[in-house]
Amino acid sequence: MKHYPIVKDIIDNWDPKRFLHFTPDDEYDPEIRMIVDLLPSATSVEKLAVVIHEVFVKMFSVDEVYSINNCYPIALEIWTKINNHYTRGVME
């Protein structure tokens, strides 16, 4: 789970269900763990957006989940931070 802190920071800042003002800080932890576990299958920003969308569809209902288009900026932010982390030579 080496990317967990990056993904947690971004998902919590996004707060797609607007829960964090009323719930514990670990509200999205199950979704974040699922996204981190699926990161190896996301070979592009577009595929990561699909992963994020599918996780939130699975964990919440389809009617309540943001569209995949709304997941793309979050996927891009995660993708960029993870890749910048490695290009700077930071090892975890």
Side-chain angles (χ1 to χ4, degrees), residues 19-55:
F19 284 158
L20 292 180
H21 294 289
F22 309 102
T23 61
D25 290 342
D26 65 352
E27 178 65 33
Y28 295 115
D29 284 5
E31 293 80 16
I32 292 164
R33 281 192 294 278
M34 291 174 69
I35 292 166
V36 171
D37 287 345
L38 293 168
L39 278 175
S41 68
T43 56
S44 68
V45 174
E46 292 78 11
K47 289 181 181 179
L48 182 53
V50 170
V51 164
I52 293 167
H53 183 259
E54 288 176 350
V55 164

Side-chain angles (χ1 to χ4, degrees), residues 46-47 49-51 53-54 65-73:
E46 292 78 11
K47 289 181 181 179
V50 170
V51 164
H53 183 259
E54 288 176 350
V65 172
Y66 282 78
S67 77
I68 195 162
N69 293 332
N70 291 331
C71 295
Y72 182 84

